[in-house]
Amino acid sequence: MSIASPFSLSVVAITILALLGMPIGLSMIAGSALYLFLVGADMGIVAEQFLNGMYSNYVILAVPLFILAAEFMNVGSMTERLLDFCNVLVGRFRGGLAQINIVQSIIFAGMSGSAIADAAGSGRMMQKMMTRDGRYTPSYAAALTAVTSVVGPIIPPSIPMILYALMSDASIGYLFIAGTVPGLLMSALQMLQVAIDARRGNFPVEDPVPMREIPRITIRAFPALMMPVVLLGCIYTGITTPTEAAAIAAAYALVISVVIYRSISVKDFYASLYTSAKSSASIGMLIAGALVFNYVVTIENIPDAIRVLLTDMELTPTGFLILVNVILLLLGCVLEGTAILLIIVPVFIPTAQALGIDLVHFGVVVVVNIMLGLVTPPYGLLLFIMTNIAGCPVRDIIRDALPFIVWMVICLIIITFVPETVLWLPRLFGYQG
């Protein structure tokens, strides 16, 4: 491919605009428009086809609805009540508050589908609780919150899995089920590391919850605890599609917060809508840019060219998965995860299919890789979010996060080379892949 070819110039334009600070979604749209102009494509037809594809894609609607559900949870008292319940479960152990951080991430994973929502919502509260009276250092609390938030999009529901399904036509329902075991495995390994740190660092033991208080705390948290049950029950029983379930999740979070907990004011309601709209617009622009650029990539037959190249390398399915893991882990250090998912991953999907790799298994491997990118330096987005929340240097957070990152990589290796850890549960629900 010539360095002066339309596609090369398009890629250069996208790169330069992104480096100059333009949002990656707008950069992709501008670079793709340059390509279409240079090849003499009819811009009107391209725009019409693109918009029709966006507005007729029912799956995309689930993204803003899950974001809205997470916002209703954060502005209400659902977070506080769930943290009290987590304290009942693991608070009495040494390092119990750190273990609570992990358990609350597992519970919130069944509600929001977004790592950033978990870190910015319940993670902010956990940071305050862990650093109160000097129980834990700010950097350790921030590192733990960052790595536990990663579990959110692995355990269902999951916004990244919705986007992967958009790119691959894999079943969203089976993708959601497939993420359960890997997410719980990752959380178990995190809890093991906390137990090791607690013994080494003599972490504090929280005051045990009196037995007489446990029923009251459980009852207070019960409506919030039922949210994942309602959400996932609607999906897996076939009552609703994942998109409809996302709408139910948002409505459920609002009703519980307003009617039962009475913790959302009109001002809070407006703030939730405003914040959700901004986040949804940002993701929507990124999806739009990715779809336009993927159209360009398709015209250039890039996926077929890469498939032929990898076929010529005579890679086995295992070799291909190793190569994809290495590429995605390296890209995760420097690129935003959604951009990788929408731009890079579609190029690998035809090769994965040609090698007979199950697309549900491949999707979970991809999502775990991308979640790892949120906590790997130098770009890890969650690291910077927690730096702002904790007010400590990012290098200290990275230092404390490294042992957890090692366990997460071990989890990635397990699910890559032992597909049954991913596919066992979906097959119990009737998956034939």
Side-chain angles (χ1 to χ4, degrees):
M1 182 181 296
S2 170
I3 195 172
S5 69
F7 183 74
S8 298
L9 293 175
S10 171
V11 173
V12 170
I14 293 171
T15 304
I16 292 175
L17 291 173
L19 291 175
L20 291 175
M22 180 179 284
I24 186 65
L26 292 177
S27 300
M28 287 189 289
I29 291 175
S32 300
L34 174 63
Y35 171 88
L36 295 172
F37 173 77
L38 292 175
V39 299
D42 188 330
M43 294 282 200
I45 294 177
V46 172
E48 180 182 354
Q49 291 177 342
F50 162 70
L51 290 174
N52 287 338
M54 280 285 287
Y55 287 121
S56 64
N57 198 307
Y58 192 56
V59 173
I60 297 177
L61 187 59
V63 175
L65 290 172
F66 277 125
I67 293 174
L68 182 60
E71 283 300 320
F72 285 149
M73 286 163 37
N74 289 334
V75 300
S77 62
M78 294 178 72
T79 301
E80 180 183 348
R81 293 166 190 260
L82 288 171
L83 289 178
D84 289 341
F85 178 76
C86 294
N87 187 38
V88 169
L89 297 179
V90 294
R92 64 183 65 241
F93 303 111
R94 182 165 298 281
L97 201 53
Q99 299 287 13
I100 289 172
N101 199 335
I102 299 173
V103 174
Q104 65 85 21
S105 289
I106 296 173
I107 295 175
F108 274 91
M111 301 182 187
S112 71
S114 167
I116 295 173
D118 288 352
S122 60
R124 187 182 297 271
M125 187 173 295
M126 283 304 310
Q127 182 72 24
K128 293 179 181 179
M129 292 173 61
M130 291 184 67
T131 55
R132 185 183 302 156
D133 300 326
R135 286 185 175 93
Y136 299 84
T137 63
S139 62
Y140 186 86
L144 183 61
T145 299
V147 297
T148 57
S149 297
V150 164
V151 176
I154 300 173
I155 296 176
S158 168
I159 291 176
M161 286 184 184
I162 293 172
L163 299 179
Y164 172 81
L166 176 67
M167 298 291 112
S168 66
D169 289 329
S171 166
I172 298 178
Y174 287 129
L175 279 168
F176 280 3
I177 299 175
T180 304
V181 172
L184 293 176
L185 174 61
M186 186 175 291
S187 295
L189 294 175
Q190 291 173 347
M191 295 182 81
L192 174 62
Q193 181 61 45
V194 166
I196 294 171
D197 293 341
R199 181 176 294 274
R200 289 177 178 173
N202 195 28
F203 286 176
V205 178
E206 305 303 314
D207 296 332
V209 178
M211 292 295 295
R212 66 178 181 275
E213 291 293 317
I214 293 178
R216 182 185 65 83
I217 293 173
T218 303
I219 291 172
R220 289 180 75 243
F222 183 75
L225 289 169
M226 286 301 295
M227 183 173 171
V229 177
V230 172
L231 171 62
L232 300 178
C234 287
I235 295 174
Y236 298 139
T237 58
I239 297 174
T240 67
T241 66
T243 301
E244 292 164 346
I248 291 174
Y252 183 87
L254 179 62
V255 170
I256 293 300
S257 297
V258 172
V259 177
I260 297 181
Y261 294 156
R262 298 181 181 180
S263 56
I264 291 184
S265 64
V266 174
K267 182 179 179 181
D268 293 332
F269 177 73
Y270 173 79
S272 297
L273 293 179
Y274 179 73
T275 303
S276 300
K278 288 202 304 182
S279 300
S280 300
S282 176
I283 294 176
M285 187 60 67
L286 190 54
I287 293 174
L291 290 178
V292 174
F293 186 69
N294 286 341
Y295 178 80
V296 171
V297 168
T298 302
I299 294 175
E300 288 286 316
N301 288 321
I302 300 298
D304 287 339
I306 291 179
R307 180 178 56 81
V308 170
L309 176 63
L310 294 176
T311 301
D312 290 342
M313 293 172 63
E314 297 183 351
L315 288 173
T316 63
T318 300
F320 172 75
L321 287 173
I322 293 173
L323 178 63
V324 169
N325 278 332
V326 172
I327 292 173
L328 293 183
L329 285 173
L330 292 176
L331 289 176
C333 293
V334 294
L335 290 178
E336 198 272 330
T338 308
I340 297 174
L341 184 59
L342 294 174
I343 302 171
I344 307 299
V345 172
V347 174
F348 292 129
I349 290 174
T351 305
Q353 289 178 304
L355 291 173
I357 296 172
D358 185 271
L359 286 186
V360 170
H361 175 227
F362 186 64
V364 174
V365 171
V366 164
V367 169
V368 172
N369 267 291
I370 290 171
M371 291 304 101
L372 269 169
L374 292 175
V375 290
T376 50
Y379 185 79
L381 184 58
L382 286 176
L383 298 177
F384 293 112
I385 290 175
M386 293 313 302
T387 295
N388 291 331
I389 292 175
C392 56
V394 69
R395 63 177 179 274
D396 294 342
I397 297 178
I398 293 172
R399 179 198 63 219
D400 290 334
L402 282 178
F404 294 97
I405 294 174
V406 170
W407 283 116
M408 293 160 73
V409 171
I410 292 173
C411 179
L412 174 62
I413 292 171
I414 292 172
I415 68 172
T416 298
F417 296 113
V418 188
E420 283 304 308
T421 55
V422 175
L423 298 176
W424 168 74
L425 195 56
R427 283 172 178 159
L428 285 183
F429 281 81
Y431 181 60
Q432 300 299 319

